């Protein structure tokens, strides 16, 4: 009843091309932003920040990056962890090797390095497609893992291969409290989400989707597969690289290549698929689902006062997690974002469905 | 088995327990966790620490850093605040090293973690009690020298390190490089990628270069896989020496006969029964509260769990001496306890650890407290000690620790503690 | 509604919803007598394909659902059967848009059509010969991968593949699409031939109203998910509305007098039987 | 020279073992278009079942005969795998007919999580032993030609023979039988396959059962080599480059790919590794596969990737 | 109308796939502004011919010249830039995109703002987007698919998808429009509409049209000249009436009924 677009007429294309053309959506988004910026800082606990909100935000960002590649451009990648790692280690090197390097700049430069590596590993995509490409991207994953373990220069000659950063600050504000970190992540993620959204609804985004849906036809209407694919790899790895730098700098503080292992790559792929391929919003849904679900499952027994063995609990967690993923895929193969828009469609028709 | 004996009253000392009972490293993680928890139960059965009962809660990390961090965040403020964390993973240790100072919670990494964290003046919250990997590597070289009949006999020998390709596996390399320069043995290192099931290439290389000794820095399945490859390529097991994490029952159990003659370090303790084991059996297992199977009590990793828990508890007991007996201490107060541990033989005897380990005494500057280890050998069915105690050579390790700690301090813009600051 | 014995297929007031929200069929009923050829006509998006899919139970893969009504085959409810079970009962669908198995050769494609048959290799080989006789073009392309054949060849392959199952009822979705005129004639001759000689029943959805009504016994016209008209094919051909909208010969006396495509000046507003 | 041959041989043997796992991938992909990431989990699950049943059954029935225990254990484990196949089809695949490849891939990852958790809950997460009497000690041949002889692992040799036999049988099945043809049809187009009466569900149960059987064999061989524990599920990662190199749809490709990858990675590790600091074999395998793909995007023997307008 | 200069000249094209000769030595030309039909039985090589022009297939022999410039091989991008647009026989729409976006892709060649401007979506990028949107809206009106603007094309019925396909090609504002069976799967009324669209494009914008179609009524009515292919060979070329009278063509394709 209340979710209607009746009476909202668009008088210009500009109005029609807003990100949220329906007024109710805009209000909802404003409310959510208000919640994120004002309400959460008012009550969230340190645990909530550090264990849930910050990882959620950073992984959302990485998922947005991956979604551009997989969801929009249709190039499945299992090497996301590697690009995150490049972002993190590159940012680290900029930070320790150049005095007075602002943290944000280091992160962006880290993203730039990830872009370079991403484009390099994207080159095979011009020839290799689909699952073959997916598996081939694991080359990036394993190579990068190896390189950061083996080449001491990358880790500033740390004997163990583990690196750490400290004294983070952003525009002169020290990022030492969880709230500060959270707000920093929130800002960065929102800015990137907006930029990404603009890209995917611009003509470059349409090129990506065209390549994804039917590359021969795309070529015939004048889209260059080289440019489209490599630009998707570039943009995607840039965002993923920045997310990697944030994961290292803001979330972990100290890390080793294992923080960006193949498990991370799979985790991100889960996020974009469960969240919804080809949907920026979906990346957030997916990240929320994948970050929060295991933690919740893990704590559920304790919450109900049931005492079960740790091993059993985590086996159960893994089982339920797996089952839920399958369940979601069955309910909506196109992800939570689609579920969301179907729900909205229903709501629009409610209470007279047909 | 119950996981949480959670605090009903706040008058309990809370010990978070980071474990990994699942995943690739579960076979090694489980006995350690069982030992750790059993010891806490034992202390409770014996009346707590001066009457203060212990509460504890397990959290599964799966040996993954981000899960470990989440566990840390989840548990650090629970039940009146965590006393001390023991991550049991080098990766998690690195991550928590960054977080613990801000939260004022000490980290015990008995027999693992970063070697330079023995320097308590820089690593104010880390306690690599009872030995680091540099100690381990040093002791192994000493042992080999002794076997060969002196350090000079090492000259020209080939020693190969087969290591888990992670910060854990890489820790001993600086020390071994140092030693090889000193004694002129040929040192080489072969990495094995996680989880270490596929080692054929490594062992082909070994078969070609035929090193005189192999040092094994593996964890989990990598150890047994290495032994099996040694069998398959005919490398003599008695020339193989594992670090103390590569010399427990799960590592050799399913290699069986093939592992006969394989040597490993004992981190102070080996396998076997001591009074503390009897106590656990009597006061915990017989009450039906044992965490794992009875047969496990006395195995290497189980005992290490006991020992680690004991160190955690004794630090609190020591802290109570200063901050009030019978009172729950905070993490910060506990740290004082860990920094001033004085576990002499008498105390150890009283605790039932006689024969298990040597005395440990820490200080502000020395967060390790002891640097002894010995070698034990698998006879096909059990581990037997096969050497006497070695103490690592401070002359080598001290400067290395200092240099590495200084580098860390300068990166993090930390200042060394002065002796005055130590008093507080 | 009782089913008289010679009614093979009885579709009774079905509603179909895609994706839980899009209502496409709004109560479609139709009957196909045994041994007849029934045509289902209607514009783009009228719901012809959807109707056929709900009979052959191929809706699930499209995330569609029959939410109301019933479908009976020889009096047996078939909504719950799997497509494979339907094929065993002799009902087979030729899908719109060809759907050949891209990585199989033309001949392998045809042979998979005989998957459900149990009457032995020789009989299958015989049917294969028959199909090759119907479509000689397929025989010359038998060893090439289906994906590399032309659109029309694929269409022939799809029809031939269905015939390989020796069906007693075929649901044909736009058989004429993409076929050259004489092949279209041939396809309908095949339909007639099978119908008369082997008593195969056909339900065909077709845009080429002209030819469809020439070969069919009975026709249904579908608009926006509803049946708006039905009747004997011959009668439909004479209906003025049908002439105007589906045959393009509105107002004229016979086929030859249809208006040139060049001369149709304004876009027509389609007259709706139901607003 | 002797060392080179030894490395080569070691690589070939390792490669055969990878092939065995790769085979499971190929089988399911070829027959349903699903890239089954759960194959690793299935190997672990099967091996756990085998290890435990071959212990439990003698204990339950009160006899003490290793061979009989192993046989019964194998049969029981196979029964479990069939049940798993049936459940996977029933609860997952039949509900995902006609969905895109990547969705199905994710579903198999979900299955992998489930199986990992479930397997360890039921069978435990310790190290278990499978002892089918594989010889562990090496033999040395040609010691007259080379100093110290050429080392050959009997265990590997047996494993390789078993893998080869399996591959031969499966290749024949796919190319020569009507069911094989139907399976390939399903992989191309679920819906069209349904429309001509191929019963997807039955077919999938069969295929997954066969994949379960292959997983069981792989699990037994790997398990008897390494001991049965969680890491076994990770050997799947070693099989992935094999699968794409050989071609996702080619059974013989799995073998050839396995041999190339096995040899390639061992030679690279042994000869190149020391220069680069070691540990390169895993990425080298992938890079090798990548290079092959640049020349042949569908792998050595894979079906051509078709894009036509 | 049919007397314009030659815009597209196909010379001696031969195309083989392994043993299959899809085209052998085909030559024909297309004059500016005309409607040129290609007909022939199934598998004659009609679509392959278009694919050669588009650079999807590379013929082994022959050349194609466009406005006097001769190419041995065509490159898809170049062809598009020269103003050749195309629709497809087996619908090659971008399934995951809305109708609007599908048609917008047709404008891509003309959209110049770079990645950064697009990400920020300020100034020129925004203006460019709006300007092209306006063009696309006109096409949408023209094809009468306003109601489906935001619908993902995968959900549209076949006939509308064909229309969107045409819309995408029109959005390129091509000089030459290649249509591969645009009317397959349509009923008479819809075909009439489609013919009207095609003729309008041809007349109003002066677009040259190459049309493949099996409906002889349509071909004979709207085309200026017809090429007839039969299994890779050209067997006829001329005005509809000439072709209709050609013996070879009757035998190979038309049959007796026409
Ligand atoms: N998978 C689907 N999801 C959503 N809507 C669908 C789907 N398939 C069809 N529809 C909708 O159902 C309606 C009827 O489609 P259907 O394909 O049955 O029409 P048709 O009569 O066969 O048309 P055509 O002659 O063009 O093939 C259309 O409006 C279409 O948009
Ligand atoms: N990529 C390819 N590989 C192999 N053969 C091909 C390929 N493309 C086309 N062919 C063959 O070339 C011939 C001509 O095909 P084409 O698609 O051009 O026919 P067409 O005239 O468009 O027929 P239709 O009217 O049925 O669409 C066919 O026999 C086809 O099998
Ligand atoms: Mg249809
Ligand atoms: Mg064609």
């Amino acid at each position: 009843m209340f979710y209607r677009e009746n009476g909202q007429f668009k008088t210009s294309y500009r109005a029609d091309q807003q990100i949220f053309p329906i007024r109710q959506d805009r209000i909802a988004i404003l409310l959510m932003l208000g919640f994120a910026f004002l309400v959460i800082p008012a009550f969230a606990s340190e645990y909530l920040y550090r264990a849930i909100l910050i990882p959620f935000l950073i992984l959302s960002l990485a998922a947005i990056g991956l979604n551009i590649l997989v969801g929009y451009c249709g190039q499945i990648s299992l090497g996301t962890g590697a690009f995150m790692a490049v972002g993190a280690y590159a940012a680290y090197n900029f930070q320790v090797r150049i005095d007075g390097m602002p943290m944000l700049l280091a992160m962006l430069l880290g993203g730039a390095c990830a872009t370079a590596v991403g484009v390099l590993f994207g080159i095979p995509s011009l020839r290799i497609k689909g699952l073959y490409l997916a598996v081939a991207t694991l080359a990036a994953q394993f190579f990068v893992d190896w390189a950061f373990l083996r080449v001491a220069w990358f880790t500033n000659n740390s004997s163990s291969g583990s690196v750490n950063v400290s004294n983070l600050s952003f525009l002169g504000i020290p990022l030492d409290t969880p709230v500060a970190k959270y707000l920093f992540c929130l800002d960065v993620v929102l800015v990137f989400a907006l930029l990404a959204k603009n890209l995917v609804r611009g003509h470059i985004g349409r090129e990506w989707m065209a390549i994804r849906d039917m590359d021969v036809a795309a070529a015939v209407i004048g889209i260059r597969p080289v440019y489209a694919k490599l630009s998707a790899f570039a943009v995607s790895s840039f965002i993923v690289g920045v997310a990697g730098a944030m994961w290292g700098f803001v979330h972990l503080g100290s890390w080793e290549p294992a923080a960006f292992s193949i498990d991370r790559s799979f985790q991100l792929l889960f996020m974009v698929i469960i969240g919804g391929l080809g949907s920026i919003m979906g990346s957030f849904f997916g990240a929320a689902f994948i970050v929060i679900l295991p933690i919740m499952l893990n704590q559920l027994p304790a919450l109900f006062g049931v005492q079960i063995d740790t091993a059993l609990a985590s086996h159960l967690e893994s089982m339920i997690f797996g089952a839920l993923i399958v369940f979601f895929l069955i309910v909506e193969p196109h992800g939570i974002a689609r579920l969301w828009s179907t729900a909205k469609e229903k709501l629009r028709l409610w209470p007279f469905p047909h | 088995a119950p996981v949480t004996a959670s605090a009903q009253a706040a008058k309990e000392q809370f010990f978070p327990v980071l474990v990994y009972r699942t995943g690739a490293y579960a076979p090694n993680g489980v006995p350690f966790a069982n030992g750790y928890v059993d010891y806490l139960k034992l202390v409770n059965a014996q009346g707590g620490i001066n009457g203060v009962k212990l509460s504890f809660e397990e959290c599964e990390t799966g040996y993954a850093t981000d899960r470990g961090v989440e566990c840390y965040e989840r548990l650090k403020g629970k039940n009146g605040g965590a006393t001390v964390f023991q991550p049991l993973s080098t990766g998690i240790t690195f991550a928590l090293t960054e977080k613990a100072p801000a939260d004022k919670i000490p980290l015990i990494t008995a027999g693992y973690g970063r070697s330079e964290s023995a320097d308590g003046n820089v690593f104010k919250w880390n306690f690599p009690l009872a030995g680091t990997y540099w100690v381990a590597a040093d002791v192994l070289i000493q042992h080999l020298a002794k076997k060969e009949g002196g350090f000079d006999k090492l000259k020209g020998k080939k020693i190969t390190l087969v290591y888990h390709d992670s910060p854990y596996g890489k820790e001993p390399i600086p020390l071994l490089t140092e030693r090889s320069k000193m004694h002129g043995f040929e040192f080489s290192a072969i990495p094995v990628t996680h989880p270490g099931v596929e080692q054929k290439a490594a062992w082909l290389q070994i078969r070609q270069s035929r090193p005189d000794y192999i040092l094994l820095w593996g964890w989990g399945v990598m150890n047994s896989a290495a032994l099996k490859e040694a069998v398959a390529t005919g490398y003599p097991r008695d020339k193989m020496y594992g670090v103390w994490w590569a010399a427990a029952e799960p590592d050799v159990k399913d290699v069986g006969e093939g592992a006969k003659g394989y040597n490993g370090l004992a981190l102070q303790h080996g396998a076997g029964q001591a009074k503390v084991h009897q106590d656990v059996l009597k006061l915990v297992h017989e009450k039906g509260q044992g965490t794992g199977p009875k047969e496990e009590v006395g195995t290497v990793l189980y005992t290490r769990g006991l020992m680690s828990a004991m160190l955690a508890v004794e630090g609190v007991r020591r802290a109570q001496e200063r901050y009030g007996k019978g009172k729950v201490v905070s993490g910060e107060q506990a740290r004082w306890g860990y920094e001033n541990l004085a576990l002499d033989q008498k105390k150890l005897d009283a605790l039932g650890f006689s024969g298990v380990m040597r005395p440990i005494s820490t200080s502000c500057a020395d967060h390790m407290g002891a640097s002894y280890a010995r070698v034990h050998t698998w006879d096909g069915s059990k581990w037997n000690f096969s050497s006497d105690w070695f103490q690592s050579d401070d002359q080598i390790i001290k400067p290395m620790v200092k240099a590495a700690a200084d580098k860390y301090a300068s990166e993090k813009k930390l200042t060394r503690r002065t002796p005055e600051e130590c008093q507080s | 509604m009782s089913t008289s014995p010679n009614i093979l297929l009885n579709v009774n007031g079905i509603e179909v919803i895609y994706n839980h929200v899009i209502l496409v069929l709004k109560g479609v009923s139709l009957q196909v007598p045994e041994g007849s050829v029934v045509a289902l006509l209607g514009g783009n998006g009228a719901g012809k394909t959807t109707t056929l899919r709900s009979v052959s139970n191929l809706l699930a893969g499209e995330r569609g659902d029959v939410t109301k009504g019933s479908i009976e085959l020889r009096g047996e409810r078939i909504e719950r059967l799997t497509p494979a079970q339907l094929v065993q009962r002799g009902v087979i669908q030729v899908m719109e848009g060809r759907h050949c198995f891209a990585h199989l050769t033309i001949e392998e494609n045809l042979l998979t059509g005989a998957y459900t048959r149990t009457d032995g290799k020789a009989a299958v080989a015989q049917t294969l010969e028959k199909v090759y006789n119907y479509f000689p073009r397929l025989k010359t392309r038998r060893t090439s991968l289906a994906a590399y054949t032309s659109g029309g060849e694929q269409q022939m392959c799809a029809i031939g593949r269905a015939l390989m199952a020796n069906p007693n009822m075929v649901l044909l979705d736009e058989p004429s699409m993409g076929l050259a005129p004489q092949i279209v004639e041939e396809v309908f001759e095949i339909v007639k031939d099978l119908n008369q000689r082997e008593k195969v029943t056909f339900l065909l959805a077709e845009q080429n109203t002209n030819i469809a009504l020439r070969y069919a016994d009975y026709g249904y016209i579908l608009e926006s998910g509803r049946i708006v008209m039905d009747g004997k094919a011959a009668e439909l051909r004479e209906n003025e509305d049908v002439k105007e909208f589906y045959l393009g010969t509105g107002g004229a006396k016979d086929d030859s007098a249809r208006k040139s495509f060049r001369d149709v000046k304004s876009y027509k507003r389609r007259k709706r039987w139901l607003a | 020279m002797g060392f080179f041959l030894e490395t080569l041989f070691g690589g070939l043997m390792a490669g055969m073992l990878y092939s065995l796992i790769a085979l499971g991938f190929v089988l399911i992909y070829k027959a349903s278009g699903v890239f089954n990431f759960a194959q690793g989990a299935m190997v672990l699950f099967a091996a756990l079942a085998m290890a435990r049943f071959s212990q439990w059954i003698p204990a339950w029935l009160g006899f003490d005969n290793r061979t009989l225990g192993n046989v019964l254990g194998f049969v029981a484990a196979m029964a479990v795998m069939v049940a798993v196949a049936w459940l996977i089809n029933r609860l997952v695949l039949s509900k995902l007919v006609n969905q895109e490849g990547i969705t199905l891939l994710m579903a198999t990852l979900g299955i992998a999580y489930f199986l990992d958790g479930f397997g360890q809950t039921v069978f435990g997460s310790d190290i278990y032993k499978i002892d089918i009497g594989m010889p562990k000690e090496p033999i040395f041949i040609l010691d007259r030609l080379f100093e110290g002889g050429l080392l050959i692992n009997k265990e590997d040799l047996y494993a390789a023979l078993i893998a080869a036999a399996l591959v031969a049988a499966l290749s024949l099945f796919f190319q020569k039988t009507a069911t094989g043809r139907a399976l390939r049809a399903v992989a191309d187009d679920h819906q069209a396959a349904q429309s001509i009466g191929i019963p997807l569900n039955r077919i999938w149960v069969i295929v997954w059962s066969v994949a379960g059987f292959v997983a069981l064999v792989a699990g037994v061989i790997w398990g008897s080599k390494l001991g049965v524990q969680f890491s076994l599920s990770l050997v799947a990662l070693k099989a992935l480059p094999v699968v794409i190199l050989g071609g996702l749809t080619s059974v013989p490709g799995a073998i050839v790919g396995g041999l190339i990858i096995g040899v390639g990675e061992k030679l690279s590790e042994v000869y190149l590794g020391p220069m680069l600091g070691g540990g390169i074999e895993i990425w080298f395998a992938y890079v090798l596969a990548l290079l092959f793909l640049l020349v042949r995007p569908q792998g050595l023997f894979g079906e051509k990737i078709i894009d036509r307008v | 109308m049919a007397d314009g200069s030659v815009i597209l000249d196909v010379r001696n094209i031969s195309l083989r796939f392994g043993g299959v000769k899809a085209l052998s030595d085909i030559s024909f030309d297309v004059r500016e502004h005309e409607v040129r039909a290609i007909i022939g039985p199934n598998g004659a090589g009609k679509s392959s011919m278009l694919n050669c022009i588009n650079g999807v297939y590379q013929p082994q022999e022959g050349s194609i010249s466009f406005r006097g410039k001769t190419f041995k091989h065509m490159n898809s991008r170049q062809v598009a830039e020269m103003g050749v647009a195309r629709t497809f026989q087996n619908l090659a729409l971008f399934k995951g995109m809305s109708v609007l976006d599908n048609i917008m892709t047709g404008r891509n060649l003309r959209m110049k703002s770079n990645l950064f401007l697009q990400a920020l979506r300020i100034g020129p990028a925004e203006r460019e987007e709006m300007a092209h949107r306006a063009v696309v809206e006109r096409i949408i009106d023209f094809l009468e698919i306003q109601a489906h603007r935001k619908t993902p094309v995968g959900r549209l019925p076949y006939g509308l998808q064909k229309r969107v396909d045409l819309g995408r090609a029109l959005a390129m504002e091509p000089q030459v429009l290649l249509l591969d069976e645009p009317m397959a799967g349509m009923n008479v009324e819809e075909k009439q509409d489609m013919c009207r669209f095609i003729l309008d494009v041809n007349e109003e914008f002066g677009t040259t049209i190459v049309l493949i179609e099996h409906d002889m009524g349509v071909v004979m009515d709207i085309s200026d000249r017809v090429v007839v292919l039969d299994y890779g060979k050209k067997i006829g070329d001329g005005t509809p009436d000439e072709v209709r009278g050609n013996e070879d063509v009757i035998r190979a394709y038309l049959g007796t009924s026409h």
Side-chain angles (χ1 to χ4, degrees), chain C residues 98 106 137 140-141 144-156 177-180, chain D residues 304 306-309, chain E residues 15-23 38-51 56-57 89-90 180-181 212-214 229 231-232 253:
Chain C
R98 289 127 203 186
I106 291 284
R137 182 71 187 150
T140 59
R141 309 286 289 128
S144 68
L145 291 190
Y148 291 133
T149 57
S150 82
E153 288 161 350
Q154 288 180 23
Q155 182 70 17
M156 296 180 217
M177 184 158 60
L179 293 179
Chain D
K304 232 173 151 179
I306 292 170
D307 43 18
R308 259 205 84 181
V309 283
Chain E
L15 175 71
R16 286 182 302 275
F17 300 103
V20 183
K21 276 196 143 184
L23 297 170
I38 304 179
I39 61 172
N42 295 120
K46 306 179 294 296
S47 303
S48 301
M49 189 65 241
L50 293 198
N51 280 338
V56 178
Y57 289 164
Q89 179 173 14
N90 283 335
D180 197 347
E181 303 197 18
I212 296 177
E213 184 51 57
H214 282 302
L229 301 184
Y231 301 127
Y253 184 56

Side-chain angles (χ1 to χ4, degrees), chain C residues 18-19 22-25 42-51 53 62-64 96 173-174 205 207 222, chain E residues 148 151 154-160 185-186 190:
Chain C
Y18 282 112
N19 260 331
I22 308 165
L23 176 71
V24 171
L25 294 191
N44 288 138
K48 303 181 294 295
T49 302
T50 307
T51 310
R53 276 188 196 140
E62 300 280 339
R63 306 191 73 71
E96 177 183 49
D173 201 350
E174 312 231 0
Q207 292 281 16
L222 206 57
Chain E
H148 304 284
T151 319
R155 284 194 203 168
L156 292 179
Y158 194 85
L160 285 188
M186 293 192 173
E190 288 156 349

Side-chain angles (χ1 to χ4, degrees), chain E:
Chain E
M1 199 197 305
D3 280 339
S5 54
V6 170
I7 184 167
L8 186 67
D9 192 8
V10 175
R11 279 186 230 127
N12 309 98
I13 291 283
S14 294
L15 175 71
R16 286 182 302 275
F17 300 103
V20 183
K21 276 196 143 184
L23 297 170
S24 23
D25 201 23
I26 304 289
S27 305
F28 65 93
D29 60 7
V30 181
R31 293 188 202 137
E32 201 132 6
H33 219 102
E34 72 174 341
V35 177
R36 185 74 149 124
I38 304 179
I39 61 172
N42 295 120
K46 306 179 294 296
S47 303
S48 301
M49 189 65 241
L50 293 198
N51 280 338
C52 288
I53 296 175
N54 273 124
V56 178
Y57 289 164
Q58 308 288 350
Q60 279 86 3
E61 279 148 44
S63 64
I64 297 172
S65 54
F66 188 81
R67 285 194 193 290
K69 267 207 278 179
T70 305
F71 302 86
K72 182 93 182 67
H73 294 305
M74 305 299 269
N75 159 310
S76 298
R77 165 85 175 185
Q78 268 179 345
V79 177
E81 274 173 346
M82 288 185 300
V84 179
R86 153 92 187 261
T87 69
F88 299 89
Q89 179 173 14
N90 283 335
L91 288 179
L93 286 173
F94 307 129
K95 286 237 166 51
M97 300 161 72
S98 67
V99 169
L100 185 63
D101 280 344
N102 261 282
I103 302 179
M104 283 291 274
T105 55
R107 304 295 301 170
N108 255 20
L109 263 183
R110 292 162 194 271
M111 298 182 75
K112 299 284 181 246
S113 62
N114 66 28
L115 218 70
F116 294 98
L117 286 177
Q118 286 180 66
L120 299 170
R121 211 184 176 90
I122 43 167
E126 171 94 19
R127 278 198 299 277
E128 183 181 66
E129 186 84 13
M130 291 311 131
H132 289 286
R133 170 81 191 264
V135 177
V136 167
E137 285 294 336
R138 278 206 299 281
I139 293 171
I140 289 178
D141 284 346
F142 178 70
L143 296 176
E144 299 177 49
I145 38 180
Q146 298 91 332
H148 304 284
R149 217 181 257 129
K150 297 274 167 87
T151 319
V153 288
R155 284 194 203 168
L156 292 179
Y158 194 85
L160 285 188
Q161 295 195 22
K162 288 238 130 182
R163 237 183 271 181
V164 177
D165 197 8
L166 178 64
R168 184 177 64 188
L170 288 180
M172 293 172 70
E173 294 180 29
Q175 300 173 14
V176 179
L177 182 57
L178 315 174
L179 301 172
D180 197 347
E181 303 197 18
M183 285 164 251
M186 293 192 173
N187 64 24
V188 174
E189 187 195 21
E190 288 156 349
K191 280 182 182 171
Q192 287 171 346
D193 283 358
M194 189 56 101
C195 284
R196 207 55 254 164
F197 294 140
I198 293 172
L199 290 172
D200 280 355
V201 172
N202 179 247
E203 282 155 19
E204 282 175 29
F205 309 122
T207 309
T208 309
I209 297 204
V210 178
L211 170 75
I212 296 177
E213 184 51 57
H214 282 302
D215 184 325
M216 278 311 107
V218 171
V219 172
M220 295 301 155
D221 285 355
I222 71 169
S223 58
D224 298 315
R225 291 191 302 152
V226 182
V227 186
V228 190
L229 301 184
D230 182 30
Y231 301 127
K233 302 202 181 58
K234 186 166 100 169
I235 56 169
D237 191 350
T239 63
D241 287 326
E242 285 166 17
V243 166
R244 212 197 305 250
N246 183 323
E247 284 297 319
D248 287 340
V249 177
I250 293 174
R251 190 163 4 90
Y253 184 56
L254 298 177
T256 41
S257 62
H258 280 264

Side-chain angles (χ1 to χ4, degrees), chain A residues 46-47 149-150 256 310, chain B residues 58 70 74 76 91 165 170:
Chain A
E46 195 180 338
Y47 171 71
L149 269 177
R150 195 66 64 241
E256 43 179 329
T310 318
Chain B
E58 285 189 12
E70 192 266 322
R74 189 195 306 175
K76 75 180 183 195
D165 202 356
K170 285 171 145 187

Side-chain angles (χ1 to χ4, degrees), chain B residues 184-198:
Chain B
F185 61 82
E186 223 178 280
F187 167 65
S188 60
I190 302 179
V192 170
T193 319
H194 157 92
V197 286
E198 181 51 43

